[in-house]
Amino acid sequence: MAARTLYTAGITGVGMSFPEKRLTNAELEKLVDTNDQWIVERTGIKERRIVEKGTGSSVHGAKAAEQAMEHAGITPMDVDMIIVPTVTPDMLFPPTAGLIQEKIGAKNAWGFDLEGACSGFIFALQNARAQVEAGHARRVLVIGTEVMSAITDYEDRNTCILFGDGAGAVVVERVDESRGGIIDAINRLDGSGAKYLHMAAGGSLNTPSAETIAAKMHYVYQEGRDVYKFAVKGMAGITAEIVEKNGLTGADVDLFVPHQANIRIIKAAQRRIGLEDSQVCITIDRFGNTTAASIPSALRVALDEGRLKEGHIVVLCAFGAGFTWGSTLLRWTAP
Ligand code: COA
């Protein structure tokens, strides 16, 4: 039996916030044995933004949320729920959702953090959609926010070139069914991927100690080549799946907004459904991989560039640690 839904959910506001400080490839050349040409050719990244030390994820998360609410034309008191996908919460508990709630004054909201690594945003979006469709919430803030610099080893050239800090947020709310809104989502989890990409210490398994710090277990560990293979297969596959499942082809897609992990992974997904460059939103050159913040902030960039209009067919997709991956199909619902 098909799931019973009462309402239609759509994205009606988007926001982003990034720290001012830029970390360029030239600066990384001074930290590790790498060079601008290698980084640009292998990843597409030219620079990323980095917070001042001691800035928690809630800071830019709150700013992105404020811009998303302003765009949607709602006030903090209108928000019923806050979901914060992040791998870098301010603290392991309490939830960063509450810290952001306090900063923005969304006193009527409840909420929680969601850990879905680089797929966190689209997992959270599916949760927000379900709450709105079921009538449990009218307006949900989904805020992907990361301080990846806090868990990045700037002596490890395999990882330090990839990540950046920042935040992106959307307002998901009830919209008229005729406008489309969020149409479909496919989400997946495969825990056998944990060994390839993780942060080993800081949780309950390896509690912080002098040994875990000496062994650099509080930093991102990644077997890049393996992750790359899974990511290409996962992202391209799940993008094609959602497009075909809904009787569409690449020609029907107005904008493809993929998680920004590596330009070559994005191109593979793009080729799989036959998209032109003009149909794809790329921000990795300026922001690097911002984990759960990459898709919502890319949506804001696309909006500012005039590439998101009422009725546009938009496809989101992500792949990340876990492994986690997924795609979302929506018809754009301007505020
Ligand atoms: N600068 C210069 N050389 C580097 C380097 C760097 N920053 N990092 C690695 N290298 C070297 C390697 O040591 C290797 O040298 P070798 O051939 O002498 O052994 C060579 O470059 C190729 O390394 P490899 O790891 O095969 O490169 P790659 O083409 O796979 O690119 C990544 C590395 C990390 C960019 C790529 O694997 C990747 O993007 N993986 C997935 C990342 C991802 O999506 N992660 C998150 C999921 S959200």
Side-chain angles (χ1 to χ4, degrees), residues 196-209:
Y196 301 110
L197 180 53
H198 56 252
M199 186 175 101
S204 53
L205 179 63
N206 298 298
T207 53
S209 68

Side-chain angles (χ1 to χ4, degrees), residues 19-299:
E20 290 292 316
K21 196 167 141 194
R22 292 176 153 82
L23 178 61
T24 63
N25 290 350
E27 285 166 293
L28 283 170
E29 285 177 12
K30 294 179 203 146
L31 300 176
V32 289
D33 180 14
T34 190
N35 60 77
D36 177 59
Q37 191 191 349
W38 191 96
I39 301 174
V40 172
E41 280 177 11
R42 298 290 178 117
T43 71
I45 303 169
K46 293 182 183 143
E47 61 179 34
R48 47 316 270 137
R49 302 295 183 91
I50 303 292
V51 299
E52 294 298 334
K53 210 171 163 43
T55 307
S57 289
S58 61
V59 172
H60 287 284
K63 289 182 183 163
E66 279 164 352
Q67 193 182 42
M69 287 187 291
E70 191 190 341
H71 179 216
I74 64 166
T75 72
M77 298 300 272
D78 296 326
V79 176
D80 305 316
M81 196 179 168
I82 301 170
I83 310 178
V84 177
T86 181
V87 300
T88 51
D90 281 28
M91 297 170 268
L92 275 183
F93 71 91
T96 300
L99 304 177
I100 293 176
Q101 176 204 33
E102 181 71 9
K103 284 188 166 72
I104 63 177
K107 294 208 182 301
N108 295 323
W110 69 290
F112 52 86
D113 293 1
L114 181 153
E115 212 286 81
C118 290
S119 307
F121 175 76
I122 56 168
F123 285 10
L125 185 63
Q126 172 71 342
N127 276 272
R129 171 195 179 197
Q131 295 284 341
V132 171
E133 284 187 349
H136 298 309
R138 181 132 197 173
R139 295 186 187 90
V140 185
L141 266 173
V142 179
I143 309 161
T145 182
E146 303 283 5
V147 176
M148 292 303 294
S149 60
I151 59 167
T152 298
D153 177 4
Y154 288 97
E155 292 179 351
D156 175 12
R157 71 175 183 173
N158 293 303
T159 53
C160 74
I161 55 157
L162 299 172
F163 298 104
D165 302 338
V170 300
V171 173
V172 178
E173 67 177 312
R174 202 182 286 177
V175 297
D176 191 83
E177 194 185 346
S178 62
R179 298 174 68 198
I182 301 169
I183 297 165
D184 199 8
I186 305 172
N187 291 304
R188 300 238 159 81
L189 173 69
D190 176 2
S192 68
K195 58 181 174 289
Y196 301 110
L197 180 53
H198 56 252
M199 186 175 101
S204 53
L205 179 63
N206 298 298
T207 53
S209 68
E211 287 74 33
T212 61
I213 289 168
K216 297 191 164 194
M217 290 163 71
H218 301 268
Y219 291 129
V220 174
Y221 170 83
Q222 174 170 257
E223 293 178 24
R225 223 170 285 187
D226 293 299
V227 175
Y228 183 84
K229 278 188 233 148
F230 284 105
V232 165
K233 197 165 167 252
M235 271 195 25
I238 211 150
T239 302
E241 192 178 339
I242 202 160
V243 168
E244 287 159 12
K245 182 182 162 206
N246 286 276
L248 304 173
T249 69
D252 300 308
V253 176
D254 293 295
L255 195 65
F256 177 48
V257 185
H259 169 54
Q260 311 280 316
N262 184 315
I263 191 75
R264 292 180 294 143
I265 300 174
I266 294 172
K267 292 275 176 202
Q270 175 182 341
R271 276 195 300 274
R272 176 72 182 270
I273 53 168
L275 298 178
E276 304 292 331
D277 287 351
S278 60
Q279 292 167 283
V280 185
C281 181
I282 304 289
T283 61
I284 192 168
D285 51 334
R286 47 208 125 143
F287 299 131
N289 180 349
T290 58
T291 308
S294 85
I295 293 175
S297 57
L299 283 171

